[in-house]
Amino acid sequence: MASKLLGLRTLFSQSLKLLPKHPYNNSVHNLNHFSTSSTLNVNFFNKLPAEKLWKSVTSVSNAGAKKGRGKGAGRIRIRDLNRGQVIGVGKINMLWPGLSAPVIRGRELLKQQRLPDDPERMEKLIKLRDSMTKFRRLKLSPIERGWSGSRMPGRSIGAPDPVGDEEFVGFDTKVLQLRSLLIMKGTLGRTRNYQAMVVTGNGQGLAGFGFGKSKEAQAALRKAKNRAGKKLMNFEIYNGHTVFHDFFTAFGSTKIFVQKKNEGYGLKCHRAIKEICQAIGIKDLRAKIEGSTNLQHVVKAFFIGLLQQRTHQQLAEEKKLHLVEYRAENSYYPTVVASPEKVRTKEEIPKDETLDFIQYILNDRVILKRKKFPRFYESMPSYQIYLKKYEKYRNHEKIRLNLRAEYGEIKSFLNDKYPEEKAEAEA
């Protein structure tokens, strides 16, 4: 240890001999008079710009991407670390000449001084700090956010782009599907594309749907929206709220049974069908899907069914018979809604012809319904006593009307049990 100290002393004495001497005497200069020069330490973090540093964090090599690496790198939000960094601005309200204030004001030379605290200035600094450090997701209202939170299906993307001088006034476009597709190519390898399906309409019977593909999601949505605007179809709406009649439609292995409903019923159907109905202007409808629920097949099948539906006048001309409507709100009073030019007589109608309206418009198809089992209380003696007491009310005017509408005749609950009594009464 002593030898090391001795070596340091000799080295220091030799360095003093090499120092420059004062021109007036031989004394050594004071150490405070030395001039110093700063050297920059160059490393990885201050050599490269911010873009290169962020790319090293968020990117992945082609070989790594093929192996499935770097899937979570896309979630990293690239931030501007220089945002809000103003020289001379800090938590303490200070006056810095040359930074936050001029050096000379008039003939006065400004000096560094602390100013009184300003609460408004502190609030601005806190907001700026929070905007830099905290990432807040854009919150949408439940009506605008679509089917599944922050994803695009179900959200509105506005009207299609104008075509020449014509603009789509009153139109709105809803996203039905947005999915990513992986396509294998010989030169580029596995590439990712986006496919979008949208429906656009003005809510007054004019609507259309379209598809779009692109390498970016926004470009695919824009293509689909503009194609939907170029393929508009006109649909007639019965009384401004529903379809003209029940219908059956199919596309591929998807089958849809659509039922006409009264005003105020609402839309009880698949969410894609609901968006299509809102784009067209249909307010009351019920749809039941059987088979595959492939979204593209559902949309195509429903549009085919709407195009194939017929007005009441067309149905009357097809059958050459009067089209009569019975509605509960009209107390089942028969109302003629359409009449053909030439009406067939009873003798001209074949015996095997389908005269049931529902069976005719569904092309002799039958909707599957759940089997109805007798109620648990029907076999109880108390229920039989209730039916016997209720028997005397069957001759009331409203009940007679309901019996004729439901069974086609005025009958008792005992007619099924004793059919011979019915034959004797008719005789």
Side-chain angles (χ1 to χ4, degrees):
M1 186 69 180
S3 62
K4 290 184 178 179
L5 292 174
L6 182 62
L8 289 173
R9 286 175 184 173
T10 56
L11 182 62
F12 183 69
S13 62
Q14 292 176 3
S15 62
L16 289 176
K17 294 177 181 179
L18 297 174
L19 292 174
K21 295 182 179 181
H22 199 272
Y24 299 105
N25 55 24
N26 296 329
S27 62
V28 179
H29 278 292
N30 191 353
L31 294 178
N32 295 331
H33 293 171
F34 278 108
S35 62
T36 59
S37 62
S38 61
T39 59
L40 294 176
N41 295 324
V42 180
N43 57 18
F44 176 80
F45 294 101
N46 56 22
K47 181 180 179 182
L48 299 175
E51 295 181 0
K52 296 286 185 180
L53 294 176
W54 276 116
K55 187 176 181 181
S56 66
V57 178
T58 58
S59 64
V60 64
S61 63
N62 294 333
K66 290 181 179 179
K67 295 179 180 179
R69 297 174 185 163
K71 290 184 178 179
R75 301 176 187 172
I76 300 175
R77 181 168 169 257
I78 299 175
R79 298 173 182 171
D80 184 8
L81 301 180
N82 296 323
R83 180 184 174 190
Q85 302 297 326
V86 181
I87 299 176
V89 178
K91 293 182 180 179
I92 301 175
N93 194 6
M94 290 286 295
L95 182 66
W96 300 94
L99 295 177
S100 59
V103 179
I104 299 174
R105 183 178 294 168
R107 293 185 177 182
E108 182 184 0
L109 182 65
L110 296 182
K111 296 182 179 179
Q112 174 187 343
Q113 59 178 333
R114 179 167 181 175
L115 301 176
D117 295 335
D118 187 3
E120 295 182 359
R121 177 178 172 278
M122 285 300 300
E123 290 181 1
K124 292 179 180 178
L125 288 175
I126 292 171
K127 289 182 180 179
L128 180 62
R129 182 195 63 190
D130 293 343
S131 65
M132 291 172 58
T133 57
K134 294 182 181 179
F135 173 67
R136 297 180 181 178
R137 191 179 295 275
L138 180 64
K139 290 186 178 180
L140 298 172
S141 66
I143 299 175
E144 297 176 353
R145 69 185 180 192
W147 301 337
S148 54
S150 60
R151 301 197 176 188
M152 285 304 298
R155 290 178 59 177
S156 173
I157 56 175
D161 297 336
V163 180
D165 297 335
E166 297 182 0
E167 297 183 356
F168 293 86
V169 181
F171 279 78
D172 189 21
T173 307
K174 291 293 183 70
V175 181
L176 299 179
Q177 187 181 52
L178 178 64
R179 59 177 183 170
S180 60
L181 304 174
L182 293 174
I183 303 173
M184 200 65 166
K185 295 185 178 180
T187 55
L188 301 176
R190 186 184 288 109
T191 59
R192 183 183 298 274
N193 281 9
Y194 287 92
Q195 184 189 49
M197 178 175 60
V198 303
V199 59
T200 184
N202 61 352
Q204 299 178 1
L206 203 61
F209 69 99
F211 297 89
K213 286 183 181 180
S214 180
K215 293 187 178 297
E216 296 181 0
Q218 294 298 329
L221 291 171
R222 186 176 65 254
K223 282 184 181 180
K225 178 175 67 173
N226 294 335
R227 286 177 182 174
K230 296 177 182 178
K231 299 178 181 180
L232 297 176
M233 294 168 276
N234 187 24
F235 302 96
E236 295 188 30
I237 306 173
Y238 178 65
N239 286 345
H241 72 97
T242 187
V243 294
F244 277 90
H245 55 80
D246 301 356
F247 60 84
F248 167 81
T249 179
F251 187 90
S253 58
T254 302
K255 306 175 184 64
I256 306 177
F257 290 91
V258 179
Q259 294 179 352
K260 169 187 174 182
K261 291 297 179 180
N262 298 329
E263 194 169 0
Y265 181 84
L267 296 171
K268 295 184 180 180
C269 50
H270 190 275
R271 57 191 183 184
I273 297 177
K274 185 176 180 180
E275 296 293 345
I276 296 171
C277 292
Q278 290 175 353
I280 295 173
I282 298 173
K283 302 173 184 176
D284 307 292
L285 179 139
R286 183 182 182 275
K288 179 71 172 65
I289 298 177
E290 292 183 2
S292 173
T293 55
N294 185 334
L295 198 61
Q296 295 186 11
H297 288 192
V298 169
V299 173
K300 292 177 182 178
F302 188 69
F303 269 97
I304 290 171
L306 290 175
L307 291 171
Q308 289 180 348
Q309 68 172 340
R310 293 155 288 181
T311 63
H312 292 160
Q313 187 62 35
Q314 290 174 346
L315 290 170
E317 293 292 344
E318 288 178 8
K319 299 292 287 185
K320 294 185 179 180
L321 295 172
H322 295 287
L323 189 61
V324 183
E325 184 181 40
Y326 297 86
R327 304 185 69 171
E329 53 264 32
N330 294 337
S331 299
Y332 298 103
Y333 187 80
T335 305
V336 179
V337 294
S339 298
E341 294 182 359
K342 183 179 179 182
V343 183
R344 291 185 296 173
T345 60
K346 190 175 182 179
E347 291 76 15
E348 295 175 349
I349 301 174
K351 294 182 179 180
D352 58 345
E353 185 176 350
T354 302
L355 296 178
D356 183 56
F357 181 74
I358 300 297
Q359 191 175 355
Y360 175 71
I361 58 178
L362 291 178
N363 297 327
D364 295 332
R365 294 181 181 272
V366 180
I367 301 176
L368 294 177
K369 294 183 179 180
R370 184 178 297 178
K371 184 180 179 181
K372 290 186 178 181
F373 295 94
R375 299 179 179 89
F376 68 95
Y377 53 80
E378 290 187 2
S379 60
M380 299 173 65
S382 59
Y383 184 70
Q384 300 298 325
I385 295 172
Y386 164 76
L387 289 178
K388 289 179 181 179
K389 289 182 179 180
Y390 191 74
E391 182 70 20
K392 60 183 179 181
Y393 296 107
R394 80 176 194 271
N395 291 326
H396 287 193
E397 182 179 359
K398 191 172 182 180
I399 293 177
R400 290 165 65 90
L401 188 63
N402 291 339
L403 288 173
R404 286 186 179 277
E406 186 174 357
Y407 301 105
E409 58 182 346
I410 300 173
K411 58 182 292 188
S412 169
F413 73 98
L414 298 172
N415 285 19
D416 297 334
K417 190 174 181 180
Y418 304 103
E420 63 274 7
E421 297 294 333
K422 179 181 178 182
E424 292 179 3
E426 290 179 353

